Amino acid sequence: DRLGFISAPARDVLRSACLLGPEFSVTDLAILLDRNVPDLAGVLRETTAAGLLAESGQRLQFRHPLIHAALYEELSAPVRAAWHREAARALAAAGAPADRVARQLVGADGQTDGAGLDAAEPQGAAEPMDAWMLSWLAGASEALVAQAPQAAATLLTRAVASTPADSADRGRLVSHLADALYRTSRWTAAAELATRELTRATDPDVLVGLHWILAQSRMVTGSTTESQATLKRALDAP
């Protein structure tokens, strides 16, 4: 009822904004809509005056979570997923930080509406990641693990499952996934993953990362002897 009176252009802008979460930057909205910020000023004034949006520092936010939820739920699940993927591509092309791109990719899986990026849990995917997602993750996973390790774990779990065993990118993706698991306190899972990958990894950087994660995971869980043995093997390796 509360959204029924706004103009069609304003509703379209709000529907796009809801993909970015309950709070968003005007710059990201302009990127998503492929419009200039000045072009959006009139619509944003209308929605703010109507009490649908409010200022939040340098960003805008939906005045009430139910407004955001109502707009988001208007979109069918397949449409939401497609829009999230397109939003991810647009933000990545514009050079947005990895965590903002990842929020859209997690949303494309239907695991979050973009609001709770760090609430996403790594889950198996029903279908493989497409080539663009894998390519983006291969280049951005290190930054993503540092910025949003929970979302990184979610996406990298899918990426590893979607990557052939003989792919040049697989070792790095597995190493970054183990790092994300370690940073989110899933030390046993991180150690098990690193141990498995060490049996087939050949890239020196990957080997260093896996040894480090394995040693740290074992140390933090109290397995000091095993951690020392891991470090000794790493020191003895070429």
Side-chain angles (χ1 to χ4, degrees):
D1 290 344
R2 196 168 173 186
L3 299 172
F5 66 90
I6 61 175
S7 66
R11 194 181 189 89
D12 289 342
V13 168
L14 286 174
R15 192 178 289 114
S16 297
C18 75
L19 295 172
L20 299 172
E23 184 176 305
F24 59 91
S25 77
V26 177
T27 300
D28 283 355
L29 180 59
I31 291 170
L32 179 58
L33 292 169
D34 194 22
R35 293 171 61 178
N36 296 323
V37 172
D39 293 341
L40 295 173
V43 171
L44 294 177
R45 279 197 300 270
E46 176 187 346
T47 54
T48 302
L52 303 176
L53 296 179
E55 293 184 5
S56 178
Q58 299 299 311
R59 297 162 66 84
L60 290 175
Q61 65 179 7
F62 286 89
R63 188 173 288 277
H64 195 285
L66 287 177
I67 299 173
H68 172 262
L71 287 163
Y72 194 77
E73 293 300 326
E74 276 188 346
L75 303 170
S76 67
V79 171
R80 282 201 305 265
W83 273 27
H84 276 302
R85 283 191 290 270
E86 289 302 312
R89 287 175 179 263
L91 290 170
D99 61 323
R100 299 219 299 265
V101 178
R103 177 178 284 108
Q104 298 305 313
L105 293 179
V106 172
D109 275 351
Q111 297 184 50
T112 175
D113 62 5
L117 180 65
D118 286 337
E121 290 290 334
Q123 299 172 12
E127 59 184 37
M129 274 190 167
D130 63 35
W132 182 85
M133 286 185 181
L134 290 172
S135 175
W136 180 80
L137 272 172
S141 53
E142 183 174 2
L144 180 60
V145 169
Q147 294 169 9
Q150 197 75 274
T154 299
L155 293 172
L156 286 167
T157 296
R158 280 197 66 199
V160 170
S162 303
T163 304
D166 58 352
S167 170
D169 291 328
R170 182 183 172 83
R172 291 181 182 274
L173 290 171
V174 171
S175 179
H176 290 312
L177 173 56
D179 191 8
L181 294 173
Y182 170 76
R183 292 180 188 233
T184 52
S185 303
R186 283 166 281 189
W187 303 302
T188 300
E192 290 174 352
L193 181 62
T195 299
R196 288 197 302 270
E197 190 62 23
L198 276 170
T199 63
R200 55 192 170 200
T202 57
D203 184 300
D205 290 335
V206 171
L207 287 168
V208 168
L210 291 171
H211 275 299
W212 172 254
I213 293 161
L214 181 56
Q216 291 289 96
S217 297
R218 286 176 169 170
M219 193 182 305
V220 78
T221 56
S223 303
T224 308
T225 301
E226 291 86 347
S227 182
Q228 289 175 334
T230 299
L231 291 170
K232 178 65 165 58
R233 286 196 299 274
L235 288 170
D236 291 342

